Amino acid sequence: MNGSPPSQPSQPTSDAASQNAAETAETAPAAGQLKKHHWLRSWGVPVITLVVYSLAIVLIRAFNRDPFYGMAVVNLITFSLGGAMVITLIGWFAFASYFSRRTVMIALAILLAASVGWAGSVKMVRFDGDMVPTFTYRWEQPPELQEKAGELVGNRETFEIRPEDAPAFRGVNRDGIVQGPALKQDWQANPPQELWRTSVGEGYSSMAIVGNALITMEQRGENEAVTCYDIKSGKLQWIHSYPGRFYEAMGGLGPRATPTIHDGFVYSMGANGDVCCLDFFTGEEIWQRNVLKDLGIPNVTWAMSSSPLIVGEMVIVNPGAPNGNGLMALNRSTGETVWKSDGLADYKAAESPSNYAGYSSPVLMTIGDMEQLVIFDGDGLSGHNAGTGELLWHFKHHHGAGVNVAQPILLENGHQILISASYGTGSALVEVTAPTDDSGWKAEKVWHEPGLLRSKFSNPVYHEGTVYGLDEGILMAINPETGKKLWKKGRFGHGQVLLVNGQVLIMAEAGDLVLGDVSPDTFTEVTRMTVLPDSRVWNPQTLVDGIVYVRDDKEMAAFDLKAD
């Protein structure tokens, strides 16, 4: 027994070891697979995601400082890339990170609860002209609006409109050119006095001013209102309200058009088509009708924005029409329909919405020794017989958004009209020719430049042969006869421009008021001040007797700019 060989492991034990080794080999990942698996779970994924998306955003914004379609498109792309980056990171965290399922579920539940809570706290979202959103939260208190109303002092027999007044949108001639005294030139060394400031309801109306009355429109709860304030104190004098509310996420809440004052009466157009005639001194209703309901037509995307125009015994409004281009004349004493424009005979419904009013206001022009109603609607520029509404001519200037806003400008030669729009359409000069023996009125293109003076919400001004306006928020000067850019400088957002004493008075979208010198050669900013802080100003300013009246969708104020 002592000479026998050492004992060997039993066969069953050897087989079990071999089987375990084989199973281990089968379940172990290959070296390349293990590396790939670890890379997906590592922090390299979020780091690379952040770098790639951030670089894309930086490049897009760096190389698109003056994009063809404006900063709105650049911002939308930026927000989209930001959203995609967040989704990518959440996806990695949920499905590929090292974190345990329990940790992931707790974190996602917290994120979801926070997102739902934040979304529930948002009362309203609004966008500026470049599509940058701001939020109003439910805990924010609405402004306390004036309710006590009196009456204006005066009577119809002494009613008078001076050249210095602003009885209608952008002044007496709707051209943004103001007559008035010299203005202070250094607002830092010699600050303009703030005369008053008051809360107002939402809306984008400007302010019509005659005598001691300031008339505007605002949203008050579920009612739309025409309101009258004393220009010296800012106290509410009278209010006329009626049920009406328009809200659209991009455009916001409230009425858009500016009232018109004429012969001791006030004429207004509400966002939903309510046309009112009111007593200038008391606000008493003379007549009221809803032209959209009367015509059986829908509203436009961003609501009725065209300010009424008085022509003789008629008040001209622009409700639109099923076949496009629908001006309407109402008897200004009774509100009854005098005529309704037939619209475009060659209109194609497939190219445009069913109701194509646009957002510009009618203006009276004398072309070819004939007084005409000219309107820049959603499809283009048109001229109408002022007495009958007959369509005389039409020039197509169309883009998909249908947002033609800027007032047309008649050049000094009396037969060429400049029009300007955004959304890749730009500016054009239209030659209007009177009828001959063998033809009717003609409207033909002199030039069209899609990248020139793209007026989105603002209105350019015309001075001594040069047009000055905001091109996607940047001040630009052009030669309207040749269609050539003279210069472009200064960012003011989608604000508004007035011309006074050869200078421009710009209400910037962010709330700054700017005074500047302009010429065909250059622009020089003279002075500026913030008048509506933390604001998005789409309401055109009004300047009367050297006092500027400004408002946004929350408050209104007056500043004395007169030189000492």
Side-chain angles (χ1 to χ4, degrees):
M1 300 228 2
N2 291 337
S4 64
S7 62
Q8 300 293 327
S10 65
Q11 186 64 37
T13 302
S14 176
D15 291 344
S18 300
Q19 184 177 353
N20 290 338
E23 289 176 354
T24 302
E26 289 176 0
T27 58
Q33 290 177 326
L34 181 61
K35 183 178 180 180
K36 183 177 180 181
H37 186 65
H38 282 193
W39 180 84
L40 285 173
R41 287 181 173 271
S42 73
W43 287 100
V45 172
V47 170
I48 292 173
T49 298
L50 287 169
V51 169
V52 170
Y53 279 109
S54 299
L55 182 61
I57 291 172
V58 169
L59 290 175
I60 287 172
R61 301 190 74 83
F63 289 99
N64 285 276
R65 299 304 300 167
D66 186 18
F68 186 72
Y69 286 96
M71 287 302 295
V73 174
V74 174
N75 287 332
L76 287 174
I77 294 174
T78 301
F79 300 147
S80 298
L81 287 172
M85 179 175 66
V86 171
I87 292 173
T88 301
L89 292 174
I90 291 176
W92 168 83
F93 176 75
F95 301 108
S97 69
Y98 276 123
F99 295 100
S100 67
R101 293 301 91 190
R102 183 173 181 272
T103 300
V104 168
M105 294 303 293
I106 291 174
L108 290 180
I110 294 173
L111 179 62
L112 179 61
S115 299
V116 172
W118 175 80
S121 71
V122 174
K123 181 179 180 180
M124 186 181 300
V125 182
R126 65 177 187 173
F127 295 82
D128 68 10
D130 288 328
M131 294 302 296
V132 177
T134 56
F135 305 94
T136 300
Y137 296 97
R138 297 188 183 278
W139 59 77
E140 296 182 30
Q141 295 297 317
E144 186 174 344
L145 304 179
Q146 295 186 47
E147 293 294 344
K148 186 178 180 180
E151 290 186 0
L152 288 175
V153 177
N155 57 74
R156 208 169 310 284
E157 288 71 25
T158 60
F159 180 87
E160 178 187 9
I161 295 178
R162 306 169 303 147
E164 297 83 5
D165 287 331
F169 177 56
R170 303 184 73 233
V172 175
N173 300 314
R174 300 192 179 217
D175 56 6
I177 299 176
V178 178
Q179 297 185 32
L183 305 183
K184 294 179 179 180
Q185 300 295 300
D186 189 342
W187 297 344
Q188 283 69 47
N190 188 14
Q193 179 186 1
E194 180 178 314
L195 302 178
W196 51 263
R197 183 178 296 266
T198 188
S199 297
V200 293
E202 295 93 337
Y204 305 114
S205 300
S206 182
M207 296 138 288
I209 296 175
V210 172
N212 62 331
L214 180 156
I215 313 290
T216 189
M217 297 187 71
E218 52 191 279
Q219 190 72 39
R220 291 182 166 232
E222 295 301 311
N223 289 338
E224 203 169 59
V226 184
T227 49
C228 174
Y229 294 84
D230 183 273
I231 63 169
K232 295 180 180 180
S233 65
K235 298 296 184 182
L236 182 67
Q237 298 300 109
W238 55 254
I239 178 171
H240 173 75
S241 62
Y242 49 87
R245 188 180 191 276
F246 181 91
Y247 173 76
E248 194 276 331
M250 292 185 183
L253 175 65
R256 275 79 164 130
T258 302
T260 299
I261 303 170
H262 182 83
D263 196 25
F265 296 95
V266 176
Y267 300 87
S268 65
M269 166 74 98
N272 293 305
D274 291 286
V275 181
C276 299
C277 173
L278 310 173
D279 185 283
F280 172 76
F281 300 98
T282 66
E284 178 185 358
E285 179 184 311
I286 307 302
W287 56 261
Q288 180 171 344
R289 60 181 291 191
N290 188 295
V291 292
L292 292 183
K293 292 179 180 178
D294 293 344
L295 297 172
I297 57 177
N299 207 340
V300 288
T301 304
W302 287 286
M304 294 283 100
S305 303
S306 183
S307 301
L309 171 68
I310 302 298
V311 178
E313 296 301 313
M314 300 179 295
V315 53
I316 311 298
V317 294
N318 182 33
N323 62 340
N325 196 275
L327 288 179
M328 188 175 186
L330 310 178
N331 183 296
R332 67 181 184 89
S333 298
T334 66
E336 296 177 352
T337 301
V338 178
W339 52 254
K340 177 73 173 71
S341 170
D342 292 334
L344 307 177
D346 60 349
Y347 180 85
K348 296 180 180 179
E351 295 181 4
S352 307
S354 60
N355 180 31
Y356 221 34
Y359 305 91
S360 182
S361 299
V363 63
L364 201 60
M365 295 181 178
T366 300
I367 306 172
D369 296 326
M370 181 180 182
E371 197 171 56
Q372 301 181 22
L373 288 169
V374 177
I375 182 69
F376 190 31
D377 72 0
D379 194 68
L381 184 71
S382 301
H384 296 257
N385 184 306
T388 66
E390 175 192 2
L391 179 65
L392 303 175
W393 51 267
H394 178 73
F395 179 82
K396 193 176 186 66
H397 198 72
H398 169 77
H399 54 83
V403 184
N404 289 330
V405 176
Q407 291 297 104
I409 295 175
L410 179 66
L411 301 192
E412 291 174 340
N413 57 36
H415 56 86
Q416 291 180 330
I417 303 173
L418 177 79
I419 51 178
S420 176
S422 184
Y423 301 91
T425 310
S427 295
L429 186 66
V430 182
E431 176 91 27
V432 181
T433 307
T436 59
D437 293 338
D438 57 351
S439 67
W441 286 89
K442 292 182 180 179
E444 299 174 311
K445 177 182 69 175
V446 178
W447 56 260
H448 175 213
E449 294 292 340
L452 184 75
L453 190 56
R454 298 156 298 174
S455 299
K456 195 169 190 177
F457 305 148
S458 60
N459 294 277
V461 292
Y462 181 47
H463 179 58
E464 296 181 349
T466 302
V467 171
Y468 304 96
L470 295 176
D471 174 67
E472 288 291 350
I474 305 174
L475 190 63
M476 175 184 282
I478 70 169
N479 183 326
E481 295 183 359
T482 63
K484 300 299 182 183
K485 180 180 75 173
L486 302 177
W487 50 259
K488 181 177 180 180
K489 59 191 301 187
R491 291 183 177 272
F492 303 98
H494 301 279
Q496 295 291 340
V497 181
L498 294 178
L499 184 76
V500 53
N501 303 324
Q503 294 182 299
V504 288
L505 184 66
I506 304 171
M507 184 68 248
E509 186 178 18
D512 282 358
L513 190 69
V514 181
L515 183 68
D517 291 329
V518 289
S519 72
D521 299 319
T522 190
F523 163 73
T524 303
E525 182 175 311
V526 174
T527 189
R528 74 160 61 204
M529 64 178 176
T530 300
V531 293
L532 293 169
D534 303 320
S535 183
R536 178 196 66 177
V537 186
W538 287 354
N539 309 70
Q541 70 278 26
T542 302
L543 182 68
V544 174
D545 291 330
I547 298 175
V548 66
Y549 302 85
V550 297
R551 67 159 289 195
D552 58 13
D553 57 348
K554 299 183 293 294
E555 62 180 356
M556 180 166 60
F559 294 85
D560 188 351
L561 304 183
K562 293 190 300 293
D564 296 333

